[in-house]
Each structure stands twice: as C-alpha cells, then as structure tokens.
Amino acid sequence: MGQFLFPTEYYDSTYSIDFQKYYDMGYRGLIFDIDNTLVPHNAMHDDRSRKLFKELREIGFKVCFVSNNKEPRVKKFNDEINCCYVYKAGKPKPDGFIKAMKKMKTNQGNTLFIGDQIFTDIWGANNARIHSILVNKIDKKEEFQIVLKRYLEFPIKKLYLLRHKMQTN
C-alpha cells in the first residue's frame, strides 16, 4: 500500500491536537480543510471553532483554509475568522497547498495540514511534502460521493493504525 496515502500523524479530532506543542517545535503555518474537519459539512463556525482560532492567533500561527469547494462556501466560512483561503484547490494535487504556503509566507518545513479525508486531504498534503494530520470526521452525515470514498479509506486507515501500533511497541 502506498505510503503517500498515510498521514504523518493521526488524531481523533482537530480539537484534541496540542497546537502549542507544534508551535514550540517550529511550525508556523496551519492549513485546514473545512468540512468535517472543523465543522459539519456546509456548517459555519461554532463556539468550538471560534475558540480554536482565537487560541491559534494568540499562539502566533498563520492559518489558511484549503478546500475543493467553490469560493462562496470557503469565503463565507473565512469571513468570520479572517485568515486566508484557497478554493477549488484541486486536492490531491499539491497546487492548493503551495498557494496556501505562499499566502502565509511559510514553507514545507514549518507548515502542518489537518484534514479528514485520505484521498483528497492527506494525499494532497503528502504530494506537497508537508506534515499531514488525519482527523476523524465530525459528522456522520456526508454527501454520497464522500461516503463511497470512506469505504475505500477504511482499510488504508486500519493498515496505518496497525503499522503505527507496531512501530510504537
């Protein structure tokens, strides 16, 4: 199985990541997928996401959203937080990630990506050669084409977790 589909790390939720630890390690830019990574599909910010972005600003991170959605969705989500964004990113191609790093003035060595899908998010971040973090989806309700991809992702995620467990024992 291709290592390009494996995340660098895996967390249960975006909201369980210790971002201060990553800042202390030298990371300065965060690229986020939006739907089912930060909020349920097509939802706007909630109290939890508002709190997270306030904390990320206080830590000193630059943030960019990279989404395959059209601009109205991504812009509307970004308006409240006022970061930068890349819409119609074409994930898993690396172009959207590279644009995000240019906007944040970061590079491959000091940028993290956080997303919930293997075939778009993780594969794309790995194509861009940046640290990729896979998180579990927030909401069970998803569009049909994403549900189909989840079935294909399941064995990859299981294999990743099995290999990771073997490496830590």
Side-chain angles (χ1 to χ4, degrees):
M1 180 100 21
Q3 296 288 331
F4 64 94
L5 294 175
F6 287 170
T8 311
E9 294 184 84
Y10 168 76
Y11 284 86
D12 184 54
S13 165
T14 299
Y15 300 98
S16 65
I17 299 171
D18 179 357
F19 288 102
Q20 182 65 56
K21 175 184 89 171
Y22 288 102
Y23 193 86
D24 294 345
M25 292 169 62
Y27 290 96
R28 296 298 180 260
L30 299 173
I31 301 173
F32 286 96
D33 174 56
I34 298 171
D35 290 325
N36 255 340
T37 298
L38 294 166
V39 295
H41 187 75
N42 277 331
M44 288 297 116
H45 288 281
D46 55 21
D47 290 341
R48 188 167 64 163
S49 67
R50 285 182 193 99
K51 181 179 181 230
L52 173 65
F53 287 101
K54 182 179 183 288
E55 290 172 2
L56 295 176
R57 276 213 166 89
E58 289 170 358
I59 291 171
F61 276 111
K62 294 176 183 172
V63 174
C64 189
F65 302 114
V66 172
S67 176
N68 283 347
N69 277 304
K70 295 177 183 172
E71 187 174 23
R73 161 70 176 137
V74 183
K75 181 184 182 318
K76 187 175 179 183
F77 186 82
N78 181 64
D79 281 348
E80 183 178 340
I81 303 301
N82 196 27
C83 297
C84 59
Y85 63 89
V86 177
Y87 64 94
K88 291 179 77 174
K91 296 182 283 184
K93 294 178 186 172
D95 304 1
F97 299 90
I98 293 165
K99 281 182 188 176
M101 287 185 281
K102 285 181 181 175
K103 287 181 179 214
M104 295 187 297
K105 296 180 175 63
T106 61
N107 59 52
Q108 294 166 319
N110 66 4
T111 304
L112 294 172
F113 173 79
I114 300 94
D116 69 298
Q117 292 187 55
I118 291 173
F119 292 119
T120 53
D121 297 332
I122 300 307
W123 188 1
N126 291 343
N127 277 339
R129 292 181 166 70
I130 60 175
H131 191 109
S132 60
I133 297 176
L134 177 66
V135 295
N136 287 328
K137 63 184 179 177
I138 289 177
D139 192 7
K140 290 180 182 177
K141 189 170 68 175
E142 295 183 295
E143 293 178 350
F144 181 72
Q145 74 272 14
I146 296 173
V147 171
L148 292 176
K149 283 193 268 182
R150 297 285 186 196
Y151 283 109
L152 298 172
E153 288 179 350
F154 183 76
I156 296 166
K157 191 173 175 182
K158 283 289 193 193
L159 183 58
Y160 167 79
L161 292 171
L162 178 64
R163 285 187 180 177
H164 183 71
K165 184 178 180 181
M166 288 172 35
Q167 289 172 355
T168 57
N169 287 338

